[in-house]
């Protein structure tokens, strides 16, 4: 990746604090509230480490409910990670805020913490593709997306989207088309929202079960 500051791309991560009852709520019946929170802590650390390793530009971590949770503070150990509180509003409003606050004129890449198979190499590929397109997306197998990269902020891209449904990606394609934006999509990845996703995750990362068990939270 070109180290010239004019081509660097900010990577914004939207994350919930690993607090029981706040995060991974669809997995609480499967893991318990504490177990779901422990899983969120693992996903948070993995995502921030992946973002820093990708080295496409500055990393900002948008924290909910705020940036004071110790797990957010620990993320600074991975590198130069700026902590910011997530603003009010739905997911679209919060994503737009992250893009609008970007420090890099070449564009911004936004992710959550739900996709454990997102790699530094794929992030670099997305950043490279953004040089040739207005937007780049990594679809999710459940009909949403796990990553969006944009050259510039446009709130219309995030308005009136049925977030957390299987219609998100289709609606986003329609919006991109309506706005006259050129975009590129990678192959779909999977994220962790449901019990079957957790089983898929632990099949890929067997040590995770031991990590959760040893924490006394699952």
């Amino acid at each position: 990746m070109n180290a010239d500051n004019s081509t660097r791309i900010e990577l914004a991560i939207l994350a919930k604090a690993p607090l029981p009852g706040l995060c991974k709520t669809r997995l609480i019946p499967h893991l318990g509230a504490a177990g779901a929170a422990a899983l969120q802590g693992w996903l948070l650390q993995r995502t921030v480490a992946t973002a820093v390793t990708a080295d496409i530009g500055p990393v900002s971590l948008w924290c909910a409910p705020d940036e004071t949770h110790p797990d957010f503070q620990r993320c600074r150990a991975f590198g130069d990670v700026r902590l910011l509180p997530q603003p009010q509003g739905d997911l679209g409003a919060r994503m737009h805020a992250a893009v609008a606050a970007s420090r890099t004129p070449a564009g911004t890449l936004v992710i959550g913490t739900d996709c454990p198979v997102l790699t530094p190499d794929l992030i670099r590929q997305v950043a490279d593709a953004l040089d040739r397109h207005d937007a780049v997306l990594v679809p999710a197998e459940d009909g949403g997306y796990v990553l969006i990269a944009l050259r510039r902020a446009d709130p219309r891209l995030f308005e009136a989207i049925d977030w957390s449904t299987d219609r998100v990606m289709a609606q986003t394609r329609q919006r991109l088309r309506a706005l006259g934006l050129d975009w590129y999509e990678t192959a779909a990845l999977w994220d962790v929202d449901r019990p079957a996703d957790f089983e898929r995750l632990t099949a890929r990362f067997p040590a995770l079960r031991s990590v959760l068990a040893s924490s006394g939270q699952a």
Side-chain angles (χ1 to χ4, degrees):
M1 181 59 102
N2 194 325
D4 186 332
N5 285 338
S6 67
T7 62
R8 300 288 275 173
I9 296 173
E10 180 145 0
L11 202 163
I13 305 166
L14 271 61
K16 290 181 179 179
L19 295 169
L22 175 69
C23 57
K24 292 289 159 215
T25 54
R26 283 183 280 183
L27 280 169
I28 288 176
H30 190 63
L31 299 176
L39 173 61
Q40 172 65 13
W42 185 88
L43 290 167
L44 170 66
Q45 300 291 316
R46 180 176 179 84
T47 301
V48 174
T50 297
V52 171
T53 301
D55 192 26
I56 63 169
V59 175
S60 56
L61 180 58
W62 293 78
C63 309
D66 57 47
E67 68 272 38
T68 60
H69 192 280
D71 278 34
F72 289 142
Q73 299 298 321
R74 279 193 282 270
C75 287
R76 287 176 162 155
F78 291 110
D80 184 12
V81 178
R82 180 173 67 155
L83 303 185
L84 298 162
Q86 285 190 34
Q88 297 298 312
D90 68 5
L91 178 58
R94 288 178 276 130
M95 292 175 71
H96 171 68
V99 178
S102 176
R103 297 164 286 178
T104 50
T108 312
L109 190 154
V110 182
I111 59 175
T113 59
D114 291 342
C115 183
V117 291
L118 185 65
T119 64
D121 186 58
L122 181 57
I123 290 173
R124 295 183 197 111
Q125 291 176 36
V126 168
D128 287 337
L130 192 61
D131 187 51
R132 303 182 297 278
H133 303 275
D134 297 316
V136 183
L137 294 102
V138 177
E141 291 179 0
D142 63 6
Y145 56 80
V146 301
L147 177 158
I148 185 168
L150 298 169
R151 284 190 186 175
R152 61 190 64 86
D154 189 332
R156 297 172 294 177
L157 189 56
F158 301 108
E159 293 171 351
I161 300 293
D162 297 325
W163 301 110
S164 301
T165 73
D166 60 5
R167 299 183 294 277
V168 170
M169 189 66 206
Q171 291 174 336
T172 300
R173 291 187 186 106
Q174 292 172 353
R175 191 65 52 80
L176 288 162
R177 194 174 296 113
L179 294 172
L181 299 177
D182 168 60
W183 79 94
Y184 172 75
E185 296 178 23
T186 73
L189 297 180
W190 54 277
D191 49 24
V192 181
D193 287 318
R194 299 159 299 186
D197 303 323
F198 177 75
E199 298 305 322
R200 188 176 183 179
L201 174 66
T202 54
R204 188 179 183 103
F205 302 100
L208 178 57
R209 286 190 185 274
S210 297
V211 170
L212 298 187
S214 65
S215 71
Q217 294 177 304

